[in-house]
Amino acid sequence: MPEGRGSRIHPDRLRAGADLLDQAAAADDKAAGRFAEARVDSTPFGISPQARELAARWAAALAAREADARVLGDATSDLAGRLRMAAVSTRSTGFRGRLAAAP
């Protein structure tokens, strides 16, 4: 098996994964913004008590989805940061290992 293959994690793959997670986090943030806009732009469907209740439920559902998207975006962004740190750690650990093994 060539050196660098097998169970060793490649820093480039970790960084590529982190980039993809950053894209996903940006999409989550965009979705949260759209939910927030929809909530602000929503108006009651009429003046009846049923219409007001429906509008209130709709606004609550949008607020919940906005919060979910923000939490998911934050967690995804945190994971991307951890992958980047792991990529640096993997590279430096591998480098030190080769130095320690050198005569």
Side-chain angles (χ1 to χ4, degrees), residues 2-57:
E3 184 179 347
R5 301 260 177 195
S7 64
R8 182 170 170 227
I9 297 174
H10 295 276
D12 292 339
R13 286 187 178 182
L14 292 173
R15 280 191 294 279
D19 291 343
L20 291 173
L21 286 171
D22 282 338
Q23 291 174 14
D28 292 334
D29 289 342
K30 187 174 181 177
R34 287 186 177 173
F35 286 128
E37 287 175 15
R39 190 166 38 95
V40 170
D41 292 342
S42 293
T43 56
F45 303 113
I47 57 172
S48 71
Q50 294 87 356
R52 285 192 300 261
E53 181 182 345
L54 181 59
R57 286 183 177 185

